[in-house]
Amino acid sequence: MTDSSSGYQRLFAELKRRRVFRVMAVYGVVGFVLLQIVDLAVPALLLPEWTYRLVALILLLGLPVAVVLAWALEVTPEGVRRTAKAAPGELADIIVAPASKRWPSGVLALVGVGALLVGAWYVGRQSAPAVSADPAAGAVSASLAVLPFADMTPDRDQEYFSDGIAEELLNLLAQIPELRVSARTSSFSFKGQDLEITEIAERLNVGHVLEGSVRKAGDEVRITAQLVRADDGFHVWSETWERTLDDIFAIQVEIAAAVVRELKIALLGETPKVIETDPAAYALYLQAEYVTRQQLSAESLERSSTLYRQALTIDSQYAAAWTGLASSYRLQATQAYGPVDEGFELAREAAGQALSVDSTNARAYAELGRIASVYDRDLASAARHLERALELAPTERDIILEASQLLRELGREEASVPLLEYLATRDPVDVGVHMFLGIAYLTVGRPDEALASFLTTEELAPGRDFTDYAVGRALMSKGDLGAALVAMQRESSENWRLIGLAMVHHALGQRAESDAAVAELIENYEQRAPYNIAYVLAYRGEVDRAFEWLEKAVEYNDSGLSLTHGDRRFDNIRGDPRWLPFLERIGQSPEQVAAIDFEIRLPQ
């Protein structure tokens, strides 16, 4: 045995004799437990974030002090005194003892110290700034996705309420400029899918995920919310509220404040506040929103309108319900599910009521802009309303979509593409955005990119109405008429299938099949789709019939007329002397459109 080996053995024996290893093991385990307590206590007691680092630092600095004291001092029945020197042969007895007696104390010391270091690392992560890269913004920012909350009621009949609470939280957090929140369309697209939080967060490119559950019984509600870190799936924070519906708005504010605190966001202003209303009116509002999103049909829109009106009967100053009612009326009129003129006027009145209650309601301005565009055919007024909406909510997805649509109606399709690409980058699983982007690409003559966007839509939402028609249109633009025919035949929506088949059969020279599709389209959709019938006839080169159906579109006030100015499907009749006078009559002559000042800058 070498002298150095003998020296190490004597040092090890001395450390064991003086119980240094035992002190290290106990100190490490106790320190680890203390750090776990701190991890729970800091958010619960609203302690400052530096508490994590301070406790971890004290424990780490205390370790060598404990080792030195253990070496120098010993506890005896007579009290604490300096450690006595080893008796003759005492160290030798330790050195020659079997390994089973010599090594356990050293191993326990390493385990204890290791536990302490792991605990210190963990709470250090807790106090580190929670940021993630946002490629769309070109900077580093806190980012979050709010998933649909689970309905935990025994009958599972409160999904509208659990979804609504999650959406309201999303909208509240989205008002914080320092926080990038994934849009509802993307966050809710994972509903019902058995995916890990880490995978969802990766797809949405966010640093954290907020999830939770709701259990509602009468006026009693139990809400659980938890914030999960994306990179490892660990819970950063969790809390449960058992309150009555009267406290529902306070709970939302508390959750938002907790998210801000846990993500270490330094707000330039205050945490956004919830606009409160009567709890019964709020429940009806959430149900109306839920009904509209489940299915866009005459029945669902009538049901949502009824629910909004019931909410307003309870609270006539509920601006969000007025705006929702305006949207429901407008959609009913746009789809010709009821009297068109009456529907648009009711929508205008409801949007005006919303602004009389809240003059900063961006969604109400956007509704007025859509009404001005598709019903009044007043693109200048539409531009003014949308400019105001964008001033109030420059990053709101639906308002940016409306702005891109108005640019298309003005014939400025190239300007609409960057807006839609911006939305697609921020929300890569937003089905609606991919569809609108595909249409924009197709309009500006980029069929390959249009097809890619439509196929993405199909992948994200299989069987969605209009998608196969859109794929067929892109394939027609690429000259692949055989594949286009297959896509059109696959289209689930009857009116879009007939429109597509009439066009693709004509392109294939199959006149009888095209005629049959046109005849069926006219028989079934004369009042609901006169504008579509007009451009199908124009595409087929039937100039006189195309103008006849454009006049019918004016008679029935078809909302599609807002697109006439830039619609490439009318290219075959643009040289007719009736074309420019018709555009002027509907407010879309080249001079009228060019005079409208509407320029959109991408949000920063």
Side-chain angles (χ1 to χ4, degrees):
M1 181 181 298
T2 64
D3 290 342
S4 60
S5 297
S6 177
Y8 288 134
Q9 289 179 337
R10 288 182 63 81
L11 175 61
F12 182 90
E14 189 67 57
L15 289 170
K16 186 175 186 302
R17 184 184 75 84
R18 292 173 181 251
R19 295 182 172 82
V20 172
F21 289 136
R22 182 181 300 178
V23 170
M24 291 172 66
V26 172
Y27 186 96
V29 171
V30 172
F32 178 81
V33 172
L34 285 174
L35 287 169
Q36 305 317 301
I37 294 173
V38 169
D39 184 37
L40 296 173
V42 167
L45 300 177
L46 301 179
L47 297 174
E49 301 298 339
W50 49 260
T51 305
Y52 290 114
R53 294 190 295 273
L54 176 62
V55 174
L57 181 62
I58 291 173
L59 288 172
L60 290 174
L61 293 177
L63 178 60
V65 175
V67 170
V68 171
L69 292 176
W71 175 275
L73 303 173
E74 64 177 340
V75 180
T76 69
E78 292 78 24
V80 179
R81 65 182 185 184
R82 291 179 61 87
T83 304
K85 292 184 178 180
E90 186 176 0
L91 295 182
D93 291 341
I94 297 174
I95 292 172
V96 299
S100 60
K101 292 186 178 181
R102 283 186 288 117
W103 294 109
S105 57
V107 172
L108 288 175
L110 290 175
V111 170
V113 173
L116 176 62
L117 293 174
V118 169
W121 170 81
Y122 178 76
V123 298
R125 281 176 61 91
Q126 295 288 74
S127 61
V131 297
S132 66
D134 178 2
V140 175
S141 62
S143 54
L144 176 76
V146 182
L147 299 186
F149 280 24
D151 175 17
M152 301 301 291
T153 53
D155 295 334
R156 298 294 191 268
D157 59 350
Q158 298 294 311
E159 185 178 6
Y160 79 90
F161 192 80
S162 57
D163 276 8
I165 292 297
E167 184 176 357
E168 293 289 289
L169 279 169
L170 188 154
N171 293 335
L172 187 63
L173 291 165
Q175 297 175 40
I176 300 173
E178 299 85 358
L179 177 62
R180 179 173 66 83
V181 181
S182 182
R184 179 198 182 279
T185 46
S186 291
S187 296
F188 277 50
S189 67
F190 296 100
K191 185 175 181 178
Q193 298 186 36
D194 187 19
L195 296 175
E196 296 290 336
I197 292 294
T198 50
E199 182 177 351
I200 293 174
E202 182 179 359
R203 291 193 189 185
L204 296 177
N205 189 31
V206 294
H208 289 80
V209 170
L210 181 68
E211 61 175 357
S213 63
V214 176
R215 183 186 180 96
K216 181 174 173 286
D219 288 338
E220 302 294 323
V221 62
R222 184 178 191 268
I223 297 178
T224 297
Q226 50 197 21
L227 188 65
V228 183
R229 194 162 45 231
D231 56 0
D232 54 19
F234 285 167
H235 289 93
V236 176
W237 161 84
S238 179
E239 193 163 343
T240 298
W241 291 263
E242 294 191 14
R243 309 268 186 89
T244 65
L245 284 176
D246 290 336
D247 292 324
I248 193 67
F249 303 105
I251 294 173
Q252 293 175 30
V253 172
E254 289 176 29
I255 294 175
V259 169
V260 169
R261 181 184 68 242
E262 296 300 329
L263 295 186
K264 319 297 184 296
I265 299 173
L267 295 181
L268 297 179
E270 296 181 353
T271 302
K273 297 295 188 292
V274 175
I275 299 176
E276 299 188 20
T277 184
D278 184 283
Y282 182 64
L284 288 165
Y285 168 79
L286 293 183
Q287 194 171 355
E289 294 278 291
Y290 179 82
V291 167
T292 303
R293 289 198 173 93
Q294 291 306 296
Q295 182 184 18
L296 193 63
S297 65
E299 294 76 16
S300 67
L301 289 171
E302 181 58 38
R303 175 64 177 153
S304 68
S305 297
T306 299
L307 291 166
Y308 286 127
R309 288 194 298 267
Q310 290 174 352
L312 289 164
T313 300
I314 299 172
D315 181 1
S316 63
Q317 300 299 299
Y318 195 0
W322 279 118
T323 309
L325 184 60
S327 177
S328 186
Y329 282 145
R330 175 182 59 81
L331 288 170
Q332 289 179 69
T334 301
Q335 299 296 324
Y337 289 144
V340 174
D341 293 336
E342 180 184 356
F344 276 114
E345 290 304 330
L346 287 171
R348 194 196 313 275
E349 180 182 346
Q353 289 284 357
L355 289 173
S356 70
V357 175
D358 177 11
S359 61
T360 63
N361 190 316
R363 187 178 167 192
Y365 280 110
E367 284 296 329
L368 289 175
R370 190 94 299 255
I371 294 167
S373 175
V374 302
Y375 179 66
D376 301 331
R377 293 194 292 278
D378 184 352
L379 298 182
S381 292
R384 289 196 300 272
H385 288 307
L386 274 174
E387 283 172 348
R388 179 58 177 151
L390 287 165
E391 286 176 9
L392 295 167
T395 63
E396 187 167 322
R397 176 252 193 198
D398 290 346
I399 294 177
I400 293 176
L401 282 180
E402 291 290 357
S404 72
Q405 182 73 354
L406 181 58
L407 287 170
R408 182 181 170 207
E409 291 165 349
L410 293 170
R412 304 169 194 174
E413 296 91 346
E414 290 286 357
S416 73
V417 171
L419 291 178
L420 295 166
E421 289 176 335
Y422 163 82
L423 290 177
T425 300
R426 288 179 64 87
D427 297 294
V429 295
D430 188 325
V431 175
V433 167
H434 282 293
M435 176 58 73
F436 279 108
L437 180 58
I439 293 170
Y441 283 144
L442 192 60
T443 305
V444 299
R446 295 159 66 175
D448 289 322
E449 292 163 280
L451 182 59
S453 290
F454 295 145
L455 292 176
T456 298
T457 302
E458 193 169 54
E459 180 182 353
L460 292 171
R464 188 177 189 265
D465 285 357
F466 186 81
T467 304
D468 284 313
Y469 166 80
V471 169
R473 290 284 294 128
L475 290 168
M476 288 178 68
S477 294
K478 288 168 59 64
D480 192 346
L481 298 180
L485 176 59
V486 172
M488 297 301 189
Q489 291 170 333
R490 242 183 1 239
E491 172 57 48
S492 57
S493 170
E494 183 187 57
N495 60 323
W496 288 113
R497 182 172 65 254
L498 292 172
I499 292 168
L501 289 174
M503 298 175 75
V504 73
H505 279 308
H506 174 78
L508 286 166
Q510 299 167 348
R511 182 60 184 264
E513 290 86 347
S514 180
D515 287 346
V518 170
E520 189 175 354
L521 181 64
I522 291 173
E523 180 180 356
N524 296 342
Y525 297 97
E526 175 179 352
Q527 293 192 24
R528 287 187 57 192
Y531 178 80
N532 308 79
I533 295 169
Y535 66 63
V536 167
L537 294 170
Y539 180 80
R540 285 166 36 115
E542 298 180 66
V543 179
D544 291 339
R545 290 186 73 194
F547 276 104
E548 174 189 339
W549 280 91
L550 280 173
E551 291 298 334
K552 285 182 178 290
V554 173
E555 178 186 350
Y556 296 135
N557 218 331
D558 192 318
S559 61
L561 284 168
S562 63
L563 294 168
T564 310
H565 168 76
D567 197 331
R568 302 292 296 274
R569 289 167 294 193
F570 288 111
D571 283 357
N572 285 340
I573 66 172
R574 289 183 185 276
D576 189 278
R578 291 168 286 186
W579 178 250
L580 290 178
F582 178 79
L583 287 182
E584 185 172 5
R585 184 152 60 90
I586 64 172
Q588 293 184 33
S589 71
E591 295 77 17
Q592 290 169 317
V593 169
I596 298 173
D597 183 18
F598 186 65
E599 184 177 353
I600 305 299
R601 294 181 181 178
L602 283 172
Q604 298 300 313

